[in-house]
Amino acid sequence: SSELTQDPAVSVALGQTVRITCQGDSLRSYYASWYQQKPGQAPVVVIYGKNNRPSGIPDRFSGSSSGNTASLTITGAQAEDEADYYCNSRDSSGNHWVFGGGTKLTVL
Amino acid sequence: QVQLVESGGGVVQPGRSLRLSCAASGFTFSTYGIHWVRQAPGKGLEWVAVIWNDGSKQYYADSVKGRLTVSRDNSKNMVSLQMNSLKAEDTAVYYCARDVWDSESETRFDYWGQGTLVTVSS
């Protein structure tokens, strides 16, 4: 199985732009999806595929990928974006999935 | 609307068994794979298992293989997770999540239940 690596914590000033990254060998073969989780709540998908947002997700959320790294960018971070963010993809076998360790985003 | 509701969690002693259920509604259940994902207290998300839409294939994380078994009954819109030989490290909130796949975007988990807490303790 493969791993996905995320920075444990990131902070951003209100209204500024922040990028959260996810590294792993499987990202060379599979797109990542990104999940936002607030305390006491189930995760919510915010980005999937090349750069797709589910209905209801603000357009300040975007995704990108290059080589073994996937990125989630929040342009103009809001207070309500403070949460844990997890990346996910299949592993190299294609039949298992793996989550990154999560990034705690603080909006200052 | 799409709903996934987990049940069956509780406190269980190490080595004992527990069966979780995930009841689905609001969509054509038999056309979607279902994953189980868990989260230990204060920790990150961990993928546990998946079952194909028709139940023909199941895959498990190495940490649970041989102890956890996922099954489904499409006539009842239900997925179950049979958990045997439970260990303290299985203590977590267990979520079921719907799998959506397309050839361009790959898999995402588009709907999640609210989770059910399993505590393994003597």
Side-chain angles (χ1 to χ4, degrees), chain B residues 5-117:
Chain B
V5 179
E6 302 93 339
S7 61
V11 180
V12 61
Q13 293 180 329
R16 303 298 291 265
S17 297
L18 201 63
R19 188 177 184 88
L20 306 183
S21 296
C22 171
S25 61
F27 63 101
T28 305
F29 181 69
S30 61
T31 62
Y32 290 88
I34 298 291
H35 295 258
W36 287 95
V37 176
R38 70 184 181 183
Q39 186 168 37
K43 303 296 185 182
L45 301 174
E46 180 187 12
W47 178 80
V48 172
V50 62
I51 186 164
W52 257 222
N53 65 302
D54 59 359
S56 61
K57 294 186 187 296
Q58 308 88 35
Y59 296 99
Y60 301 91
D62 291 345
S63 58
V64 305
K65 195 169 185 179
R67 299 186 301 115
L68 273 59
T69 303
V70 60
S71 60
R72 67 190 294 160
D73 183 342
N74 283 349
S75 69
K76 296 181 179 178
N77 288 5
M78 188 82 70
V79 172
S80 296
L81 185 67
Q82 178 66 40
M83 309 170 69
N84 298 332
S85 303
L86 282 162
K87 306 175 182 181
E89 50 264 41
D90 294 318
T91 294
V93 172
Y94 285 74
Y95 297 99
C96 59
R98 191 177 79 165
D99 176 305
V100 176
W101 178 90
D102 64 70
S103 59
E104 287 195 7
S105 301
E106 259 298 324
T107 291
R108 67 266 192 196
F109 306 151
D110 66 340
Y111 285 93
W112 298 62
Q114 84 289 349
T116 187
L117 176 62

Side-chain angles (χ1 to χ4, degrees), chain A residues 39-56:
Chain A
Q41 298 182 18
V44 173
V45 59
V46 293
I47 290 290
Y48 64 93
K50 190 173 183 180
N51 181 18
N52 298 290
R53 279 177 294 105
S55 172

